[in-house]
Amino acid sequence: ARASALAPMIEVRVEEAAAAATLTPDVVEALESGGFFRMGLPRGLGGYEVDPVTQMRVMETLAYSDGSTAWAVAIGNSSSFFAWLDQSVALDILDGRPCRPVSAVFAPTARAVQVDDGYRVSGRWNWASGSPHATLFILGFAIGGDESLQRWGVFAANEVEVQSNWSGAVGL
């Protein structure tokens, strides 16, 4: 019902979003306040822990208005991977905002070196859907030059630079 209720707003913004290659801020806010980015997040972290079939139905409903919006919601639920973290760490990362959109690129295209308190990561990732409005990123990296030592890190949006080099991409 929430997805259907957003249809008129999404449909009005489709062309503007396509021209900007990202969802419009008002649509992102409506999705966030409507709880769409917390569908896969565990209940203990403030999420809805929605089963995968229901998530697909919600995204299908959104896709009737705009496929890119549905895709952004699917990727924006990358916070579901926080279920694998120590829950106190995950709560700290979410910082009281379980509804935040989280983008992810799991491919370990960046490199990291070990430092005293963790890893220093640098590199580039290919397009991360929803990155212009993501507040957190889950990004893959390899430690040193060893492709067999791979990790994922969670980064705040202010710790990454999103380069707008995807204009003309279809469906993003």
Side-chain angles (χ1 to χ4, degrees):
R2 288 183 199 176
S4 293
L6 284 180
M9 174 189 217
I10 293 169
E11 290 168 359
V12 169
R13 298 288 192 229
V14 168
E15 288 184 31
E16 183 181 347
T22 186
L23 300 180
T24 61
D26 59 334
V27 169
V28 173
E29 172 56 36
L31 292 168
E32 190 172 337
S33 65
F36 290 91
F37 295 121
R38 66 164 81 181
M39 287 191 296
L41 190 66
R43 282 187 190 92
L45 297 174
Y48 296 140
E49 205 170 311
V50 174
D51 66 272
V53 172
T54 302
Q55 286 185 48
M56 289 297 143
R57 288 185 179 141
V58 169
M59 288 178 267
E60 179 182 28
T61 301
L62 291 169
Y64 283 117
S65 298
D66 179 41
S68 294
T69 299
W71 180 251
V73 167
I75 300 302
N77 272 281
S78 293
S79 61
S80 62
F81 288 94
F82 292 170
W84 293 343
L85 294 175
D86 177 284
Q87 298 302 274
S88 64
V89 171
L91 283 168
D92 188 46
I93 290 169
L94 289 167
D95 194 28
R97 193 173 158 203
C99 53
R100 58 181 43 209
V102 179
S103 187
V105 178
F106 297 112
T109 58
R111 299 287 174 259
V113 293
Q114 196 158 7
V115 294
D116 291 337
D117 59 347
Y119 301 100
R120 185 176 57 241
V121 179
S122 62
R124 294 176 61 101
W125 293 267
N126 291 329
W127 173 253
S129 294
S131 58
H133 59 264
T135 59
L136 294 171
F137 291 85
I138 302 173
L139 302 170
F141 57 91
I143 300 170
D146 189 347
E147 290 296 321
S148 68
L149 294 174
Q150 300 176 4
R151 301 286 185 270
W152 296 342
V154 180
F155 302 85
N158 65 359
E159 295 177 306
V160 300
E161 177 187 348
V162 176
Q163 296 179 347
S164 301
N165 59 3
W166 58 85
S167 65
V170 176
L172 302 177

